[in-house]
Amino acid sequence: MTRLVLGRLLRVVITLTAVVLITFLLTTVAYNDPARLIAPDNATEETLASIRATFGLDQPWWVQLWRYAVVGPPIQGVATGLLNVPPSLGYSYVSQRPVTDLILEKLPATASLALGAFVLWMLVAVVLGVLAARRPGGPLDRITSVIAYTTLSVPVFVVAVLLIFVLYFQLSLAGIHLFPSGGYVPFSESPGEWARHLILPWTALVLVQFGPFQRIVRSSVLEVTGKDYIRTATAKGLGPGRVYFDHALSGAANPILTLGGIELASLMGGAIVTEQIFGIDGIGRLAVRAASTGDAPVVIGVTLVGAVFFVLITTLVDLVTHARGGR
């Protein structure tokens, strides 16, 4: 087990190093003169040259990379940030603020969206998947199959726009104001408004995501229903609920955990489309603004944080499934 953990940690370090290198090179090519973002509109060439010298933008790309990744290591910054040590993800060219502060400000909104939707769609997928597996080919199995493939075929932005049109616009015209059109209210400010503002985004993600999970739960449970321990549990007189939701689901959990971990990690990196449509000021919207304005340090920082979430969550899931006896 120790060898496995060390191997996974080495993979994490290699992955994050590759992310920093690739993202830095791409932003260097895409945004070739960040000094113009920092300088005022009427800046002279002397002012631009001074800014380039101050930020090291007049140096070759490998020198800039060394200063960014080694002199101020972003990976170390993410880790030491947990210990209240000022992290080193650089400064935004546009807002002139530490990138870490910008990301931490947006993280609660993205985490609320991702974790809430994840819990809801996993709950729906597990319940419907197990019930469908109990009677394959039955009415519930057919209905959930149609719903799953339909929602899987529809992009999330279409579902989001339809939800806003029906549950916000049409209800508002009828004088019923159940849901806001968008925005985000912190949980600490008002738990009720926090949930109210996130219901529609959660619903959009649940409708799009639960389909593949439901089919995986169904197929995984069906695979283990013929196992000896399932027949033994049935022979002991256990009810269908215990047999399927306890024994069968436990035996089929590894593929569900693996896919769930990947989807959660992706959402924690920023649900860009969902945040844009519903006006949630999270990491996804921060990434879009940074990319559109050429704010390279923010682009690199957001990409790195998303990669950290992805590799850590998927590594944790990998270790859990291995401990359960699966690879």
Side-chain angles (χ1 to χ4, degrees), residues 4-274:
L4 175 67
V5 172
L6 293 177
R8 296 300 184 270
L9 290 177
L10 177 62
R11 188 172 67 181
V12 168
V13 173
I14 294 175
T15 301
L16 295 182
T17 301
V19 167
V20 172
L21 176 61
I22 294 172
T23 309
F24 189 90
L25 292 177
L26 290 177
T27 54
T28 300
V29 172
Y31 312 125
N32 55 8
D33 194 8
R36 296 190 178 276
L37 293 173
I38 305 172
D41 295 336
N42 58 349
T44 62
E45 284 301 322
E46 291 77 9
T47 301
L48 293 174
S50 176
I51 292 174
R52 295 186 190 105
T54 300
F55 287 89
L57 300 175
D58 56 347
Q59 300 293 323
W61 68 265
W62 57 86
V63 176
Q64 297 182 47
L65 177 61
W66 174 265
R67 291 181 59 183
Y68 179 82
V70 179
V71 176
I75 297 176
Q76 174 186 336
V78 173
T80 56
L82 300 176
L83 304 176
N84 293 324
V85 177
S88 304
L89 287 176
Y91 281 79
S92 165
Y93 293 150
V94 175
S95 64
Q96 292 295 296
R97 295 180 57 200
V99 174
T100 305
D101 291 350
L102 296 174
I103 293 175
L104 290 178
E105 286 179 1
K106 313 302 181 184
L107 183 59
T110 296
S112 297
L113 175 64
L115 293 175
F118 174 77
V119 171
L120 290 175
W121 89 55
M122 287 296 288
L123 180 63
V124 173
V126 167
V127 172
L128 293 180
V130 172
L131 292 178
R134 285 185 58 188
R135 293 182 176 84
L140 180 61
D141 187 22
R142 294 170 184 263
I143 293 172
T144 56
S145 176
V146 171
I147 295 175
Y149 288 121
T150 301
T151 56
L152 182 61
S153 304
V154 180
V156 65
F157 70 87
V158 174
V159 176
V161 171
L162 287 175
L163 286 175
I164 292 176
F165 178 75
V166 174
L167 297 180
Y168 167 72
F169 183 71
Q170 293 295 332
L171 289 181
S172 297
L173 289 179
I176 303 173
H177 302 282
L178 291 179
F179 307 105
S181 61
Y184 173 76
V185 176
F187 182 85
S188 57
E189 182 177 322
S190 174
E193 287 299 310
W194 169 82
R196 183 169 171 265
H197 280 73
L198 287 172
I199 287 177
L200 292 185
W202 284 340
T203 304
L205 289 174
V206 169
L207 289 175
V208 172
Q209 296 287 355
F210 98 93
F213 282 92
Q214 189 269 342
R215 304 315 290 172
I216 287 177
V217 172
R218 175 190 178 276
S219 61
S220 300
V221 171
L222 282 176
E223 285 182 6
V224 302
T225 51
K227 301 289 185 180
D228 291 338
Y229 70 92
I230 298 297
R231 288 195 291 266
T232 301
T234 304
K236 288 181 178 181
L238 295 179
R242 287 285 305 277
V243 171
Y244 280 89
F245 282 96
D246 189 359
H247 297 279
L249 184 59
S250 176
N254 282 351
I256 303 170
L257 289 174
T258 301
L259 182 59
I262 293 174
E263 290 295 335
L264 176 60
S266 300
L267 283 178
M268 286 298 297
I272 295 177
V273 174
T274 309

Side-chain angles (χ1 to χ4, degrees), residues 279-302:
I280 299 174
D281 197 12
I283 292 177
R285 293 192 78 189
L286 176 65
V288 171
R289 286 196 298 267
S292 62
T293 59
D295 201 349
V298 177
V299 173
I300 298 172
V302 169

